[in-house]
Amino acid sequence: MAQGAFVAYYRVSTARQGASGLGLEAQKDAVTRYLNGGDWSIRAEFVEVESGRKSDRPELERALATARLHRIPLIVANVSRLTRSSAFLHRLLEAGVEVRFCDLPEIEGPTGRFLLQQMASVAELEAGMIASRTKAALQMAKARGKKLGGDRGVVMSDATRKAGRATRTAKAGARATDLAPHIARLQAAGATSLGALARALNEEGIPTARGGEWSPMQVSRVLAKLAA
């Protein structure tokens, strides 16, 4: 039985389907059956009118941004409603959002089996490649006379530290971008001070990057990133 909040994403192929509800109602019904009662809620719903072959989907991007903001899963009726492209599925994985497919719990039908097989195959391949690379690197190090095991006094290089800082900065920038339209909406509604913005974000259930509650100082940092 499902618990917590979700962001729902629905896709229809034509404007006629979107207007008539054809396909859309079936997707909503699938989501309801998947959640199967329990203490759950749909925080937001997004409906896309796009071809399944297109990767430019603004409503999906909005749905992912909302799920990231609230740190809650994105739920869709079935895999085909997102894409048939493995490259696009990787893009979803990189979005940092947990995605729930209603047709996967029972693993019924060719789509569910195929997806699970692909996920298992990729994971197995990646694990094997990592093990092979690690073994080869250790053998080369040993051949050069390098001592293996124990405390070797490894010191992080300047380049490594710089790369780590760049990664953290990029994540913070992406988080600020997700927050920008929400902050603008709150400011337009009268929340102009740092304290008022912090309270409004907390009331809306939007966590900070570390999952905690907002303070005026944290809001100030986000505004500084947006102004940079």
Side-chain angles (χ1 to χ4, degrees):
M1 188 174 291
Q3 302 289 327
F6 298 83
V7 173
Y9 173 77
Y10 309 110
R11 188 189 67 79
V12 291
S13 299
T14 65
R16 177 180 296 180
Q17 284 185 337
S20 67
L22 294 174
L24 182 58
E25 291 303 320
Q27 292 177 61
K28 289 187 175 183
D29 181 63
V31 168
T32 300
R33 284 186 283 106
Y34 172 85
L35 295 173
N36 189 28
D39 184 17
W40 60 268
S41 64
I42 298 296
R43 181 66 59 88
E45 293 183 324
F46 298 88
V47 179
E48 196 97 70
V49 181
E50 290 286 353
S51 165
R53 296 180 180 276
K54 294 182 64 176
S55 60
D56 182 18
R57 301 190 189 166
E59 290 303 306
L60 179 58
E61 293 300 330
R62 289 181 58 203
L64 290 170
T66 302
R68 278 196 300 267
L69 277 176
H70 293 279
R71 295 182 179 276
I72 56 180
L74 178 74
I75 185 169
V76 296
N78 53 60
V79 176
S80 65
R81 286 295 168 185
L82 282 180
T83 183
R84 295 180 178 87
S85 166
S86 60
F88 195 73
L89 286 174
H90 282 299
R91 176 179 163 192
L92 285 177
L93 293 173
E94 292 169 359
V97 171
E98 180 184 355
V99 183
R100 304 277 186 86
F101 299 108
C102 296
D103 58 339
L104 287 186
E106 297 81 15
I107 318 177
E108 294 180 350
T111 301
R113 288 193 298 271
F114 177 78
L115 182 61
L116 288 182
Q117 289 168 356
Q118 293 303 303
M119 291 172 64
S121 296
V122 170
E124 182 180 358
L125 175 61
E126 183 180 16
M129 292 177 66
I130 291 175
S132 297
R133 289 196 297 267
T134 301
K135 183 177 180 180
L138 290 174
Q139 289 177 340
M140 292 178 64
K142 186 176 181 180
R144 293 195 301 268
K146 189 175 183 64
K147 182 180 179 181
L148 302 179
D151 182 6
R152 296 185 294 277
V154 177
V155 178
M156 192 178 296
S157 68
D158 290 340
T160 301
R161 284 193 291 269
K162 184 176 180 180
R165 288 194 297 269
T167 299
R168 291 192 294 271
T169 300
K171 288 183 177 180
R175 180 71 174 170
T177 299
D178 286 340
L179 285 164
H182 295 270
I183 290 177
R185 173 175 54 79
L186 294 174
Q187 289 173 326
T192 55
S193 70
L194 296 177
L197 286 171
R199 286 191 297 273
L201 289 169
N202 289 330
E203 288 172 359
E204 291 195 0
I206 298 175
T208 63
R210 294 187 177 183
E213 291 195 345
W214 290 91
S215 68
M217 178 60 71
Q218 290 167 316
V219 173
S220 175
R221 291 169 181 165
V222 171
L223 293 178
K225 288 185 180 300
L226 292 174

